[in-house]
Amino acid sequence: MENLFDCRHDTLKNDNEFLPDGLRHWNYYRYRHKLDLIAKTIVASTGNWTPPALIALCEVENDSVLIALTRYSALRELGYRYVVTDCMDQRGIDVALLYQRDRFKLLDYEYIRVSPLKDFRPTRDILHATGLITLQDTLDIYVVHAPSRSGGEKLSRPYRIHFSKTLMTEIEKLKCKRRTPKILILGDFNDLPGSPAINKILAARAPEGVIDDNNLYHLLARQVKQNKEGSYKYKGEWNLLDHFIVSGSLLHTDNKIYTSESLAQIVHLPFLMTDDKTYGGKRPYRTYYGMKYENGYSDHLPLLMQMIITAE
């Protein structure tokens, strides 16, 4: 969402940068325009104008921006509901899940607090939502936004490893409740597929060979390596910081519900891109480029995953 803030000051958070008199001169017009751009992206993302049943969102300020997005933007006729965290992040950044009630029946949700490491600021909670997809199978969805690379990738790496260890602990607890849960992990890890937080702690790799129901698999790792693409561009280089990670139980084509590598992609809609005048080629059409207001969509490209549901 690239900092989806409203224009009102939250006295408990440091949101001064995104106020009308703040450094970015964020105002009601820009806020409403951004909501319209987000709605346009969501509706167009599937390519057939059928909107996604489930949408994981990073960088939303609070539930007020989600009320505005689901009730007062172009999404208002699509029946989206939401769950959102209330994190200790100092700027008030949360993660959220939008869902359509006729396609996903929410059963339960929880916020998983990631204890801050010494010398690091509090980070975002992990959102865990459980529900039935078209009343057939239970999905456990984890929406994540791991600690940033502020201060440098190497210096901040321990915090992201700690974040992934917290997530893995919760997944192991879930496996004690359900023998072979169907797990989706969605969001911004601020790390690459080969990073220790993903490749070692979560042990999420591209699917190959015998698929173990309880292992985790990365749906985009092979694709981005082969195509040299990503969801985020930094100093002229594309990187994949946003990820789809699923349990092996969602990769068997003889199941009632399944997905695969071929059903996951980075969305490169033309209107989400603009010319990269510094490094050449294209880059995401952002809301802000540095401190300059660009009037665009986001600094990250969205990801799309399809799931196949077979008839009873």
Side-chain angles (χ1 to χ4, degrees):
M1 297 292 101
E2 193 193 339
N3 296 311
L4 180 57
F5 281 80
D6 59 25
C7 305
R8 295 186 298 272
H9 179 46
D10 183 343
T11 58
L12 300 178
K13 302 294 182 180
N14 182 17
D15 61 357
N16 297 293
E17 187 177 348
F18 284 89
L19 295 174
D21 58 353
L23 288 175
R24 296 184 183 273
H25 304 290
W26 188 242
N27 56 42
Y28 184 74
Y29 170 79
R30 291 180 176 183
Y31 170 53
R32 293 298 307 178
H33 181 60
K34 186 175 178 74
L35 291 174
D36 289 339
L37 296 183
I38 292 169
K40 175 184 175 182
T41 304
I42 288 172
V43 172
S45 63
T46 61
N48 58 15
W49 300 101
T50 300
L54 297 162
I55 307 168
L57 302 178
C58 295
E59 293 195 11
V60 295
E61 184 185 12
N62 48 39
D63 64 345
S64 72
V65 301
L66 295 170
I67 291 172
L69 180 63
T70 56
R71 299 184 189 176
Y72 304 113
S73 76
L75 300 182
R76 60 186 175 274
E77 303 297 330
L78 298 179
Y80 281 111
R81 298 294 186 269
Y82 66 86
V83 286
V84 60
T85 58
D86 185 12
C87 303
M88 295 176 64
D89 180 273
Q90 293 176 358
R91 296 173 63 230
I93 292 293
D94 292 315
V95 299
L97 179 73
L98 304 187
Y99 62 96
Q100 291 183 313
R101 290 190 297 174
D102 60 333
R103 301 164 73 189
F104 179 78
K105 181 181 179 182
L106 182 69
L107 300 176
D108 196 12
Y109 65 92
E110 64 175 334
Y111 312 144
I112 300 164
R113 184 131 297 172
V114 180
S115 59
L117 289 183
K118 184 181 178 181
D119 299 327
F120 287 95
R121 296 177 299 180
T123 191
R124 276 74 54 176
D125 292 350
I126 299 167
L127 174 61
H128 175 207
T130 303
L132 295 175
I133 191 79
T134 63
L135 302 181
Q136 290 196 56
D137 277 296
T138 301
L139 292 181
D140 283 282
I141 302 168
Y142 294 89
V143 184
V144 305
H145 186 187
S148 74
R149 296 184 168 203
S150 178
E153 187 279 328
K154 187 174 181 180
L155 181 66
S156 58
R157 186 187 303 164
Y159 205 2
R160 289 189 297 280
I161 290 175
H162 171 65
F163 183 95
S164 286
K165 286 181 177 179
T166 302
L167 173 59
M168 201 63 196
T169 297
E170 295 300 318
I171 290 173
E172 292 302 324
K173 290 179 183 177
L174 178 65
K175 290 177 183 177
C176 294
K177 298 177 183 178
R178 286 195 285 281
R179 187 166 56 183
T180 53
K182 293 179 173 63
I183 297 170
L184 298 174
I185 304 171
L186 317 170
D188 181 359
F189 275 88
N190 275 306
D191 252 330
L192 305 180
S195 68
I198 295 173
N199 191 260
K200 293 184 179 180
I201 304 303
L202 299 181
R205 300 177 178 87
E208 57 186 357
V210 178
I211 301 298
D212 187 311
D213 282 354
N214 285 307
N215 286 351
L216 297 175
Y217 297 91
H218 198 296
L219 295 187
L220 288 169
R222 198 190 323 264
Q223 179 184 139
V224 298
K225 184 177 181 179
Q226 291 174 348
N227 300 337
K228 296 182 180 180
E229 59 179 356
S231 59
Y232 181 80
K233 193 175 185 182
Y234 179 69
K235 292 186 176 179
E237 182 178 350
W238 284 102
N239 297 295
L240 186 71
L241 302 180
D242 311 283
H243 304 270
F244 281 139
I245 298 172
V246 304
S247 58
S249 54
L250 279 170
L251 295 176
H252 299 297
T253 57
D254 55 347
N255 285 352
K256 289 185 293 183
I257 179 170
Y258 66 90
T259 187
S260 69
E261 286 180 287
S262 64
L263 295 175
Q265 66 183 90
I266 302 169
V267 178
H268 295 94
L269 293 167
F271 59 77
L272 296 176
M273 310 291 285
T274 190
D275 292 333
D276 188 340
K277 297 179 181 179
T278 303
Y279 297 100
K282 296 287 186 178
R283 63 170 175 82
Y285 185 19
R286 305 173 57 154
T287 304
Y288 283 91
Y289 190 63
M291 296 302 293
K292 179 184 177 182
Y293 179 63
E294 278 206 325
N295 197 32
Y297 296 76
S298 177
D299 55 342
H300 288 239
L301 295 176
L303 310 183
L304 175 69
M305 184 186 75
Q306 299 179 61
M307 303 188 77
I308 304 298
I309 301 171
T310 59
E312 289 285 355

